Amino acid sequence: MLTGGHVYTMTWSDPAIDGTPAADAPLTDGRYHPDAEALAVRDGVIVGVGSATDIAPLIGRETRVLDLGGATVLPGLVDSHTHVQGLGARLRRVDLRSVVTVQEVVERFRARYPSPEPGERIVGWGWDEGAWASHYPTHDAITAAFPGQPVVLQSLHSFAVWANRAALDQAGIGRDTPDPVGGEIRRDAAGLPSGILLNRATTLLDGDPAADDPATQERDIAAGLAEMRRSGYVTVHEAGLDRQALAAFARLAERGDLPVRVYAMLSARDEGLLREWIARGPQTTIDPWLQVRSVKAFWDGALGSRGARLLQDYTDQPGHRGVSGEGYGFDLDLVRDAIGAGFQVAIHAIGDAGNRETLDFLEGAIAEHPAARAGRHRVEHAQVVHQDDFAHFGKLGLWAPMQPPHLAEDKAWAEDRLGPERILGAYAWRTMRRTGAGLVFSSDLPGSDHDFFYGLHAAVTRRDAELQPPDGFYPQQAVTVDEAIRAYTVWAARVAFREASTGTLEPGRWADVTVIDIDPFEVAADDPGRLLDGKVRYTIVDGVVRAAHSDL
């Protein structure tokens, strides 16, 4: 039994598409208030919700009673777009987040590897390809600092790689190496690789061979999932598993070692794996721990690396519009066959052309397979959408998993890429809600911070962690705190076909609960900047209580 809490069951109706609270929402004088104070759990299932008096008859001699002391109770949080192996692997790599100069990069590597062995491979991660895009570095400085070791620096969002000469030579990338379809090997005046690989060219260089070792991969996944549990999440939607990664998740599930639930998306880039699953069909019967029902595919690249496909030239790079579709490795027939086999598809689309082409593809696939309209298909990110195209999201019954952290992190350069008109359709959460499309929130970790309070603050304020800009970045696109929490709970369950099992706190649902130390409804109303100060106290998965910062 959990008692003494501020419980928000999230069982009231959805807000209107303009954010107006539902008639049955728990409000008094326009302010939200908890709709329960206690919660009872038995055998991993919620059996009672209400006041302490309501729940008291369920207490027996073996009951564990946890007094929350006024903490806030929410349905278990869901991150609807993750790459948890990368999150776990981050602990093994040199962290390059926040670096702004080449010298800082070299100093961080020297601090981590003061006396590297000859030939030792050195891997870093986290430099922001968007922030560096107008002044990409060369390999010279890291080649000079580490001439005898291959050094590979993977970017924050995985759409760029920065490597030294030894790493390029080891991979066989030289003057005569052609640019792959959908990618670019940047070159110096002499035509030699400069050290930067963009978009699909990143596949030419295996940055972290250790990650392909099955035992290391399993440890990275387990470490990433454990971090998600500590951060308050009870479920992740893992975006794009190849055969080896899926096998690692399956081994953890078979041993009962998954600390949170996993809704898995197969990678459309692993054709052999996907063809096998198309033949057998998706797991439509709910598996509470590891379910394979979705397919992840890439339509275009990222806005930061200028790989996102735009209808008109990039404002800060005339003559360039990015790359998409078959030119970016999207297998039209394969993904269409997955839709026909009953899979939900989740298509990465960033630019306005990328989103329009994705919508056209999905419309055609649904016309060919009418039953697929009920598939709750997803346009991952839906980051820049032309005003003429928003309505199609609702008409096709699509869902848009979007990332509030991307807004907070991209706003420094996004308008430079897009200009003052296109930016109006970017990170447009309110406009997306008005179409009637489904909206869910996520982090796209490890490229962005997965902290729930960071994402929640960005969603309701359109500001970054420094509270900038004071009035929010195009604040008309903000959502209410009710909508934002639903995008991490109720709606996240719905997009995964799990609304009958989770997403709300009511009898019969899984006992998946997140307990936090602030009341986000109160804080958002009074001082939304304080949302950033919130902490997770407990994560409860399947009725098992875990302290948020334990090592369990």
Side-chain angles (χ1 to χ4, degrees):
M1 177 179 175
L2 306 180
T3 189
H6 294 171
V7 179
Y8 288 93
T9 66
M10 305 304 293
T11 54
W12 59 92
S13 304
D14 288 345
I17 58 176
D18 64 357
T20 301
D24 59 342
L27 289 111
T28 300
D29 297 329
R31 293 179 67 94
Y32 285 88
H33 57 78
D35 56 336
E37 64 176 344
L39 188 75
V41 174
R42 180 186 294 119
D43 297 330
V45 176
I46 297 171
V47 295
V49 183
S51 68
T53 301
D54 294 333
I55 303 303
L58 296 173
I59 299 176
R61 286 183 298 176
E62 301 299 321
T63 301
R64 176 186 179 188
V65 179
L66 184 62
D67 189 340
L68 299 178
T72 296
V73 181
L74 299 174
L77 301 176
V78 178
D79 191 321
S80 297
H81 187 114
T82 65
H83 307 280
V84 295
Q85 182 183 351
L87 179 61
R90 194 173 78 190
L91 303 175
R92 299 186 288 101
R93 302 170 179 169
V94 179
D95 191 341
L96 302 177
R97 289 173 297 171
S98 80
V99 297
V100 295
T101 69
V102 173
Q103 186 58 36
E104 283 182 274
V105 172
V106 172
E107 289 172 358
R108 290 198 187 187
F109 273 98
R110 282 179 170 157
R112 179 77 171 266
Y113 297 95
S115 301
E117 296 293 328
E120 179 183 2
R121 193 175 191 83
I122 299 173
V123 180
W125 167 87
W127 65 282
D128 188 342
E129 66 266 51
W132 289 65
S134 296
H135 54 279
Y136 280 132
T138 67
H139 68 79
D140 295 341
I142 52 175
T143 294
F146 297 94
Q149 295 80 29
V151 180
V152 179
L153 290 70
Q154 297 170 324
S155 70
L156 185 65
H157 298 291
S158 77
F159 290 92
V161 168
W162 176 10
N164 72 348
R165 171 60 64 194
L168 294 169
D169 289 346
Q170 188 179 72
I173 300 171
R175 182 193 303 273
D176 298 326
T177 305
D179 288 353
V181 174
E184 177 189 0
I185 303 170
R186 292 181 70 90
R187 304 172 191 273
D188 62 20
L192 294 171
S194 69
I196 296 293
L197 310 177
L198 296 177
N199 299 307
R200 290 288 284 162
T202 60
T203 62
L204 299 177
L205 203 159
D206 187 354
D208 188 4
D212 294 329
D213 170 68
T216 301
Q217 184 173 41
E218 194 172 307
R219 285 195 296 271
D220 287 346
I221 291 169
L225 292 174
E227 167 60 21
M228 294 306 287
R229 184 180 64 192
R230 282 190 291 270
S231 300
Y233 294 95
V234 303
T235 299
V236 298
H237 294 187
E238 186 67 1
L241 298 180
D242 62 15
R243 184 183 303 277
Q244 184 168 314
L246 180 60
F249 276 94
R251 290 193 299 272
L252 289 167
E254 288 166 5
R255 296 199 305 264
D257 288 341
L258 289 178
V260 302
R261 307 183 195 274
V262 178
Y263 183 79
M265 307 179 204
L266 301 172
S267 173
R269 288 176 172 170
D270 190 333
E271 181 179 359
L273 175 70
L274 186 49
R275 285 292 179 197
E276 291 175 16
W277 275 88
I278 288 172
R280 65 195 285 190
Q283 290 178 281
T284 55
T285 300
I286 291 180
D287 183 315
W289 289 103
L290 177 61
Q291 184 165 11
V292 180
R293 185 168 185 165
S294 189
V295 171
K296 165 73 183 304
F298 285 87
W299 189 272
D300 65 351
L303 189 65
S305 60
R306 300 190 183 90
R309 182 68 172 170
L310 301 181
L311 293 166
Q312 302 297 327
D313 293 356
Y314 277 80
T315 301
D316 59 357
Q317 189 175 342
H320 180 68
R321 297 188 182 185
V323 64
S324 63
E326 291 180 295
Y328 199 67
F330 188 96
D331 189 324
L332 297 169
D333 293 334
L334 181 63
V335 178
R336 192 180 294 111
D337 288 348
I339 292 173
F343 283 90
Q344 175 192 66
V345 298
I347 301 176
H348 164 117
I350 298 288
D352 52 6
N355 274 281
R356 176 173 291 179
E357 293 161 2
T358 294
L359 292 168
D360 289 344
F361 169 77
L362 288 171
E363 185 172 26
I366 289 171
E368 184 178 343
H369 304 285
R373 177 172 288 276
R376 305 184 190 181
H377 300 295
R378 306 161 52 136
V379 180
E380 303 293 312
H381 314 303
Q383 198 170 93
V384 186
V385 179
H386 191 280
Q387 297 295 336
D388 292 346
D389 295 328
F390 275 106
H392 295 286
F393 282 84
K395 289 178 181 177
L396 293 172
L398 302 178
W399 286 75
M402 302 176 79
Q403 294 74 36
H406 285 180
L407 176 280
E409 294 154 8
D410 295 357
K411 62 181 176 54
W413 46 259
E415 194 161 354
D416 292 339
R417 300 281 192 281
L418 299 171
E421 295 299 322
R422 283 185 298 202
I423 195 68
L424 299 177
Y427 316 93
W429 311 321
R430 173 58 60 206
T431 302
M432 192 64 73
R433 279 279 287 141
R434 290 182 186 276
T435 72
L439 177 69
V440 291
F441 284 154
S442 59
S443 65
D444 193 14
L445 63 85
S448 292
D449 192 335
H450 56 278
D451 181 81
F452 164 66
F453 302 99
Y454 173 57
L456 183 64
H457 173 263
V460 301
T461 69
R462 307 275 291 188
R463 301 187 305 195
D464 61 23
E466 284 71 47
L467 310 184
Q468 296 300 316
D471 295 326
F473 186 76
Y474 294 92
Q476 67 273 20
Q477 292 293 346
V479 295
T480 68
V481 66
D482 188 355
E483 292 172 304
I485 291 174
R486 285 174 180 275
Y488 285 104
T489 57
V490 181
W491 297 339
R494 201 173 295 166
V495 74
F497 304 89
R498 292 180 161 192
E499 64 269 25
S501 300
T502 189
T504 56
L505 299 178
E506 54 187 314
R509 298 296 199 269
W510 294 338
D512 290 356
V513 182
T514 304
V515 181
I516 60 179
D517 68 350
I518 62 171
D519 185 327
F521 288 90
E522 288 187 2
V523 172
D526 297 332
D527 184 5
R530 288 201 307 112
L531 289 170
L532 292 165
D533 299 330
K535 299 289 187 295
V536 174
R537 289 186 57 184
Y538 299 101
T539 308
I540 301 172
V541 185
D542 200 38
V544 178
V545 181
R546 306 289 189 182
H549 297 287
S550 75
D551 293 326
L552 294 175

